[in-house]
Amino acid sequence: MEHLLEEEKSFGGTLGRRTGARYKTYERLKRYRSEIGDQRDLLYSEDHVRQVDRALEEIYRYPLFQTATDSLNRQLKAGVADHAFAELVLKS
């Protein structure tokens, strides 16, 4: 078990530089998640919340493909709203 934990630490689990697409995407989704957590009963289904949680986990654990990085950078630069950005990430 200890070997698996060490391997996981070396494989992933870092978001990179603060200016990178992976870091920014994670932070935007985390902010969106906190917003929908407050409104879960009113507007968002439990399934939607679970999808956002899963996306956060996967972004944290695994590197992005270059095409995903390019697409996310374009959306971040365009200043798309959090909910639209989250929908883009969840569709990918």
Side-chain angles (χ1 to χ4, degrees), residues 6 20-21 24-26 33-34 38 42 44 48 50 56 60 65-66 71 77-78 81 83:
E6 283 300 315
K24 288 180 180 180
T25 299
Y26 184 84
R33 172 61 176 90
S34 69
D38 298 337
L42 302 173
Y44 300 99
H48 181 72
R50 276 194 295 268
L56 281 166
Y60 186 79
F65 289 113
Q66 187 60 47
S71 177
K77 190 175 276 190
H83 70 279

Side-chain angles (χ1 to χ4, degrees), residues 26-51:
Y26 184 84
E27 290 299 318
R28 288 279 301 265
L29 274 183
K30 192 166 74 170
R31 182 172 67 196
Y32 175 73
R33 172 61 176 90
S34 69
E35 289 172 9
I36 66 171
D38 298 337
Q39 304 169 2
R40 184 182 320 173
D41 297 334
L42 302 173
L43 301 174
Y44 300 99
S45 69
E46 195 67 34
D47 185 50
H48 181 72
V49 173
R50 276 194 295 268
Q51 287 176 344

Side-chain angles (χ1 to χ4, degrees), residues 2-3 8 10 13 20 30 45 47 61-62 68-69 71-72 78 85 88:
E2 290 176 16
H3 174 70
E8 183 176 316
S10 66
K30 192 166 74 170
S45 69
D47 185 50
R61 292 187 73 194
Y62 304 109
T69 301
S71 177
L72 292 170
F85 188 74
L88 172 74

Side-chain angles (χ1 to χ4, degrees), residues 5-30:
L5 290 173
E6 283 300 315
E7 192 171 312
E8 183 176 316
K9 285 180 189 176
S10 66
F11 177 71
T14 61
L15 297 172
R17 291 184 282 174
R18 289 178 171 246
T19 58
R22 188 172 170 202
Y23 181 87
K24 288 180 180 180
T25 299
Y26 184 84
E27 290 299 318
R28 288 279 301 265
L29 274 183
K30 192 166 74 170

